[in-house]
Amino acid sequence: MKNIFSSLFLFFVPLFLLAFLSFTENIALGAKYTLDPVPNYTHCKDESDAIQLTDGKYVEGHFWTQQGTVGWSETGFVLITIDLEKDMPISGVSFSTAGGLAGVKFPDSIVIFTAGEDDIFHEVGDLIKLNNTKKPVPSAGYATYRYTIDKLQTHGRKIALLVFGEPYIFCDEIEVWKGKEEDLSRPLPGMGFKDLRKYVNDVTIHNCVKKRITNDIGEVQKIAGNVKRGKKIQKELNKLIKEIDTLPLEYPENFKTIFPINSTHEKVFKLYARTLQAEGLKGLTAWRSHPYQYTELFPSLSDIKPTNTNQLYLGMMQNEFRSVAFNVISPKNAEVAIEILGISEGLRKECIKVQKVLWTDTKRLEPVASALMPINEEEGLFKLNVLAGLTQQVWITVYSKNLPPNTYNMEIKVNQIRLPMTLKIYPIHFPDRPALHMGGWDYTNVSQHYEVTEANRTALVNMLREYFVDSPWATSVAMPFGSYDDFGTMTEPPDTSNFDAWRKLWKDARRYCVFSAVRNKFQQWEIGTPEFNKAVGNWAKFWDNYMRNAGLDPSQLIVLLVDEPHQEQEDTIIKAWAKAIHTSGAGFQIWEDPIYRDMTKALPEMIAECDILCPNRQLFYKCGEDYRQFFIDQRDQGRKLEFYSCSGPMRLLDPTTYCRLQAWDCWRYGAEATYFWAFADAAGNPSWNEYLNKRHAYTPLFIDKDTVYPGKHLEAMCEGIEDYEYLNMLEKAIKEGKCTEETRTQAETLLQEIRNTLHSIMPESGILFWKDFKQPEIIDNIREKILQTLLSLTTNN
């Protein structure tokens, strides 16, 4: 009997081991895979990211600083698709990651898909939910962790892991375990997806929509808890929480986050309206608002000002643009008709534009009321629909070119509500073209760049011109090099067709800015060689002559050689190119935007070759007095000073301090231009849907592939340009001295007050978020004082 058991043992154990080994065989070892989006986390990014997830090696040490780790920052999701090269049975998957420190969290979801030879992907399940690792996910502190499942019973040639997480996603190894051969005959579950990226987009939007509505339900729940009959409202809100789970997954390509996002979201605002009614809101209500004041999505009844204090006021020069705004809210859906009284029909049509402000959501799920959409006039009325419980802002812009100096006592009639408005046009003429230059890396010389398309490019340019942009930017395509012989002599001139078309598009620009993006060579010649100097000089002289032949001064051409230099090798390239250009006698200007935190580390010879220095305004504030003094000294030595900003997300930054006051800082420090990154950069998606953005959106507009609309941030930039002119006019009037000594002293005191105010408003970081700046009216009060002072300076002779 003993011999029989021994024989059976020897027979079955190898079979068991064979089955066990096949069950745990990692069939993804060494497999090729694709990553969408590409890894972007600096501390572990390297060329081997394309092989490290299936190389069988697990990292040791601090997870996301190891080169064996693959990492993503601020992408929201990652799609990892592994090709097993043939249809294979699959029993399990493991995903190795880490979290619990420095803001790194474990993934929210890891959805598993498999696809056969037909490339149709089927959802198998969520690894986070299926995870059968005996060790629980750590709840606190840094830890590595492997999510695993070994009971899948599926198959596929390709296996895809869709990982959702914020703000980081990290992985160092993925294993796929071989299943049993009979799993190959099992049908793949559920409906299939040919375009898994479309599915990803739908899931991303769906999750954001659910969070948006859930967040808003939560806010209204809090408010309802403090009002009469609030419990009944809360019960209705609880029903909506369940309704969220029934929302369809599929979203159209042109999905927009304009509020309300859907019918469920609309019900949330209607329930909020009921809380306002319970607090005493009886009907349609309108109240004055500063145009750049952050608008609350759920204002309290005390925030909704009574109409008898709603005096709208706008003082301005002739020939400029300024705006006022008011809010409307209603306990029920309402059709609203707006009528502007106290001004003739002809002047109203010529000088006044009425727009509604749309609510849109952002990538961070912080909604903003910023998009400006025109309201068409119908027989003297501007009509719009107001949704119950949703604050609707109305934006009124006055263009005073043809308005005679006078005080116009007007009235804005909103259905039966009357908002008095005083419009005062001062007898001072604003120049047709303000002095301060403005640009924003629009790159409209090409038909596809960021969100510039052939369909929206003309509309974008026309809008930017309307908002005082006079310094467009082009890519290096605008200034090609041509051909040269072995000694650096030009043998074939550059093709000017791109620059020609760009100039035609921007025919009234005052400057043409080109990012040349040069390297340490000119064609085959290293920097500093005689051939290099000769070839660069010939190239520079060609474009100098081009400007002259076009009837333009060569100094109107601005060339950025290397963007944001911050190390010696970049400075060396700039120095060599700029020196060769200047030696040639070419008259265009070299523009640089160094981002050293300590400007003493910049190569002095590079700085000496620059015609224009443009510090980042946020660094200008953040890096201290010595940093600021460096640029002031350079300005005093003859270099022009300008400012640029490139912080984000634009939609959440304060329009007053970030956009409008940059022009005031130009005046304060003697800078001649203001720039913002970047007019068309909406992070690769339409501005109307930030849910799909992988990074910050920077555009101050609302732009998609076909249309362009202004946002409040663009309006604030435009007002800043006009404010700069006010400040210049005030300084000029004081210098001319055509006033009494007392008036001049008052004017000089005002200038010092302005400097003190700017110093007190701006934080050391140089940036404020919109919801954090509570007093935008301070700037308009100062502007009104400037107007009054300018009037006294020109009349008290």
Side-chain angles (χ1 to χ4, degrees):
M1 183 67 70
K2 182 178 179 182
N3 290 336
I4 294 173
F5 280 118
S6 298
S7 300
L8 290 172
F9 177 81
L10 292 172
F11 178 77
F12 284 111
V13 164
L15 292 177
F16 171 79
L17 291 174
L18 183 63
F20 179 78
L21 289 172
S22 66
F23 183 75
T24 58
E25 180 185 350
N26 178 14
I27 54 178
L29 185 63
K32 295 180 180 179
Y33 56 84
T34 60
L35 302 173
D36 181 17
V38 296
N40 65 355
Y41 187 73
T42 304
H43 299 296
C44 61
K45 181 179 179 181
D46 61 13
E47 292 180 357
S48 296
D49 285 347
I51 60 173
Q52 287 166 342
L53 294 183
T54 57
D55 62 2
K57 300 176 184 177
Y58 289 83
V59 302
E60 297 180 2
H62 205 284
F63 198 85
W64 44 82
T65 60
Q66 303 301 312
Q67 291 303 306
T69 300
V70 182
W72 295 262
S73 172
E74 299 285 354
T75 61
F77 76 90
V78 173
L79 180 60
I80 305 167
T81 306
I82 301 171
D83 189 349
L84 302 175
E85 296 189 346
K86 67 176 183 177
D87 197 3
M88 299 282 285
I90 297 171
S91 67
V93 177
S94 76
F95 183 92
S96 175
T97 186
L101 185 69
V104 181
K105 304 172 185 176
F106 290 100
D108 296 323
S109 175
I110 306 173
V111 186
I112 305 169
F113 296 86
T114 61
E117 297 292 347
D118 60 0
D119 237 21
I120 303 295
F121 286 88
H122 297 256
E123 183 176 344
V124 176
D126 188 337
L127 180 56
I128 301 293
K129 296 178 180 178
L130 296 172
N131 180 36
N132 60 2
T133 304
K134 293 181 180 180
K135 177 183 175 183
V137 180
S139 58
Y142 170 78
T144 58
Y145 190 81
R146 287 178 68 186
Y147 292 93
T148 64
I149 176 63
D150 57 8
K151 297 178 174 60
L152 288 184
Q153 293 184 319
T154 188
H155 66 94
R157 169 174 177 153
K158 292 182 179 178
I159 181 166
L161 300 183
L162 174 55
V163 187
F164 289 97
E166 290 284 0
Y168 306 103
I169 297 172
F170 293 105
C171 182
D172 73 329
E173 191 68 18
I174 296 170
E175 294 188 15
V176 180
W177 299 320
K178 187 175 181 180
K180 298 177 181 179
E181 290 300 317
E182 56 260 37
D183 292 338
L184 287 171
S185 61
R186 296 179 186 273
L188 293 177
M191 62 179 292
F193 301 94
K194 182 68 177 175
D195 185 355
L196 202 51
R197 184 57 190 268
K198 171 67 167 61
Y199 173 85
V200 171
N201 288 348
D202 283 347
V203 169
T204 303
I205 294 172
H206 191 65
N207 290 340
C208 289
V209 167
K210 290 170 67 175
K211 288 178 183 178
R212 169 77 275 135
I213 300 174
T214 301
N215 291 350
D216 292 344
I217 288 174
E219 289 299 313
V220 180
Q221 287 273 26
K222 294 176 189 175
I223 298 167
N226 298 315
V227 302
K228 294 179 180 179
R229 298 183 295 277
K231 289 185 178 179
K232 187 174 181 180
I233 296 173
Q234 287 178 325
K235 287 182 180 179
E236 293 295 320
L237 290 166
N238 288 334
K239 291 180 182 177
L240 291 184
I241 293 175
K242 296 179 180 178
E243 188 175 308
I244 291 173
D245 292 330
T246 67
L247 295 175
L249 177 62
E250 194 166 351
Y251 291 84
E253 186 179 348
N254 64 345
F255 169 80
K256 296 179 173 63
T257 66
I258 298 172
F259 286 17
I261 288 176
N262 56 29
S263 60
T264 306
H265 200 208
E266 183 175 349
K267 292 173 186 176
V268 177
F269 290 106
K270 287 183 176 180
L271 288 169
Y272 169 65
R274 283 170 55 183
T275 69
L276 292 177
Q277 282 182 299
E279 289 185 293
L281 184 70
K282 299 186 184 306
L284 185 74
T285 301
W287 71 100
R288 176 176 57 86
S289 174
H290 189 281
Y292 302 118
Q293 181 68 55
Y294 180 77
T295 307
E296 296 289 345
L297 184 59
F298 298 108
S300 65
L301 194 63
S302 61
D303 293 330
I304 301 173
K305 304 294 192 298
T307 57
N308 60 4
T309 63
N310 281 341
Q311 174 75 43
L312 296 169
Y313 175 79
L314 189 57
M316 58 195 303
M317 300 180 189
Q318 288 182 283
N319 199 39
E320 61 171 331
F321 300 86
R322 297 287 176 179
S323 300
V324 292
F326 63 89
N327 297 333
V328 178
I329 200 165
S330 174
K332 297 180 180 179
N333 289 352
E335 289 187 358
V336 173
I338 300 167
E339 189 175 6
I340 300 175
L341 306 172
I343 189 170
S344 70
E345 181 182 358
L347 285 177
R348 185 192 72 241
K349 289 186 174 182
E350 187 176 1
C351 304
I352 295 178
K353 179 168 64 174
V354 181
Q355 299 173 96
K356 59 183 175 181
V357 183
L358 301 182
W359 284 95
T360 59
D361 210 356
T362 61
K363 175 66 174 176
R364 295 187 180 182
L365 299 179
E366 295 182 31
V368 292
S370 181
L372 299 174
M373 189 73 65
I375 306 174
N376 295 325
E377 183 179 349
E378 300 176 20
E379 298 179 350
L381 299 176
F382 299 89
K383 296 181 179 181
L384 72 158
N385 294 316
V386 175
L387 174 70
L390 180 61
T391 301
Q392 175 64 69
Q393 188 168 84
V394 178
W395 186 279
I396 298 178
T397 301
V398 178
Y399 178 36
S400 58
K401 181 176 183 178
N402 294 322
L403 283 173
N406 201 353
T407 299
Y408 299 84
N409 293 312
M410 301 163 55
E411 199 171 59
I412 310 297
K413 187 179 178 185
V414 185
N415 284 5
Q416 300 307 311
I417 301 171
R418 294 176 179 268
L419 299 176
M421 175 175 171
T422 300
L423 174 61
K424 185 174 182 179
I425 307 299
Y426 283 75
I428 305 171
H429 193 272
F430 191 86
D432 290 331
R433 297 206 74 169
L436 186 64
H437 299 294
M438 182 159 72
W441 291 277
D442 51 287
Y443 293 142
T444 46
N445 67 304
V446 291
S447 59
Q448 295 284 340
H449 204 289
Y450 292 111
E451 276 54 75
V452 175
T453 68
E454 197 64 64
N456 69 25
R457 181 165 57 159
T458 299
L460 173 63
V461 170
N462 290 340
M463 180 166 290
L464 294 177
R465 290 168 61 199
E466 179 184 340
Y467 281 82
F468 296 135
V469 174
D470 68 348
S471 301
W473 279 86
T475 65
S476 59
V477 174
M479 290 179 66
F481 294 126
S483 300
Y484 301 80
D485 64 18
D486 292 340
F487 304 100
T489 301
M490 183 180 289
T491 57
E492 184 177 336
D495 180 0
T496 66
S497 59
N498 187 271
F499 207 128
D500 294 338
W502 181 47
R503 270 198 309 111
K504 186 176 180 180
L505 194 64
W506 287 90
K507 57 186 175 183
D508 56 351
R510 287 194 289 178
R511 307 196 305 174
Y512 295 90
C513 308
V514 179
F515 176 30
S516 288
V518 301
R519 299 177 297 127
N520 60 351
K521 288 183 177 182
F522 184 94
Q523 297 188 353
Q524 71 267 35
W525 300 296
E526 299 283 346
I527 57 174
T529 61
E531 295 83 2
F532 169 89
N533 292 332
K534 184 176 182 180
V536 171
N538 285 332
W539 171 75
K541 284 187 289 186
F542 173 87
W543 288 106
D544 178 285
N545 289 329
Y546 173 87
M547 294 295 286
R548 296 179 191 277
N549 293 335
L552 299 168
D553 191 294
S555 65
Q556 291 177 261
L557 177 57
I558 311 295
V559 176
L560 166 60
L561 297 170
V562 176
D563 188 34
E564 295 187 332
H566 57 282
Q567 50 191 351
E568 185 176 348
Q569 64 188 46
E570 294 168 328
D571 291 359
T572 302
I573 293 171
I574 296 167
K575 180 190 75 171
W577 279 79
K579 187 174 183 180
I581 290 166
H582 286 141
T583 301
S584 75
F588 58 80
Q589 301 186 77
I590 304 301
W591 186 102
E592 284 298 332
D593 52 349
I595 56 169
Y596 289 93
R597 268 55 175 176
D598 178 358
M599 285 305 298
T600 62
K601 295 182 179 180
L603 197 65
E605 296 88 345
M606 180 274 286
I607 297 294
E609 292 292 346
C610 293
D611 301 295
I612 303 171
L613 290 174
C614 186
N616 177 284
R617 180 171 171 246
Q618 286 66 56
L619 291 180
F620 194 78
Y621 274 99
K622 189 183 296 184
C623 293
E625 190 57 41
D626 289 345
Y627 188 90
R628 291 188 284 275
Q629 192 60 49
F630 174 88
F631 287 100
I632 292 169
D633 291 343
Q634 291 297 321
R635 178 203 66 194
D636 293 344
Q637 293 169 24
R639 282 167 200 87
K640 295 177 182 177
L641 178 63
E642 300 176 353
F643 282 120
Y644 84 102
S645 287
C646 62
S647 299
M650 173 69 79
R651 212 73 71 205
L652 299 182
L653 302 181
D654 175 51
T656 298
T657 54
Y658 183 72
C659 300
R660 187 176 181 182
L661 289 188
Q662 182 158 299
W664 291 60
D665 276 341
C666 287
W667 164 78
R668 185 181 175 193
Y669 291 103
E672 299 180 19
T674 174
Y675 304 91
F676 294 91
W677 181 272
F679 288 145
D681 184 1
N685 293 293
S687 300
W688 303 105
N689 179 13
E690 289 194 6
Y691 290 160
L692 297 178
N693 289 0
K694 300 186 187 71
R695 55 175 178 80
H696 291 332
Y698 295 92
T699 177
L701 305 98
F702 284 78
I703 183 171
D704 61 25
K705 62 184 179 64
D706 298 311
T707 63
V708 180
Y709 290 95
K712 288 187 181 180
H713 294 79
L714 184 63
E715 292 278 343
M717 292 174 189
C718 178
E719 288 212 42
I721 296 291
E722 294 180 321
D723 296 340
Y724 176 93
E725 205 67 33
Y726 275 51
L727 294 160
N728 270 0
M729 292 170 73
L730 180 57
E731 282 194 317
K732 182 179 179 182
I734 292 172
K735 289 176 182 177
E736 288 178 349
K738 297 178 181 178
C739 58
T740 65
E741 188 63 32
E742 180 183 0
T743 303
R744 181 164 45 254
T745 300
Q746 291 173 348
E748 290 171 344
T749 300
L750 175 59
L751 285 178
Q752 188 56 48
E753 177 189 335
I754 294 168
R755 293 187 179 94
N756 293 341
T757 300
L758 293 175
H759 181 75
S760 67
I761 286 176
M762 293 303 302
E764 289 185 0
S765 65
I767 191 168
L768 280 170
F769 285 94
W770 197 348
K771 63 183 179 182
D772 295 332
F773 188 61
K774 307 297 185 183
Q775 297 177 296
E777 67 276 359
I778 290 175
I779 304 305
D780 282 303
N781 293 340
I782 291 175
R783 186 179 66 81
E784 184 71 22
K785 287 183 181 180
I786 295 174
L787 271 173
Q788 295 168 356
T789 305
L790 280 171
L791 188 62
S792 65
L793 286 171
T794 55
T795 56
N796 293 343
N797 294 322

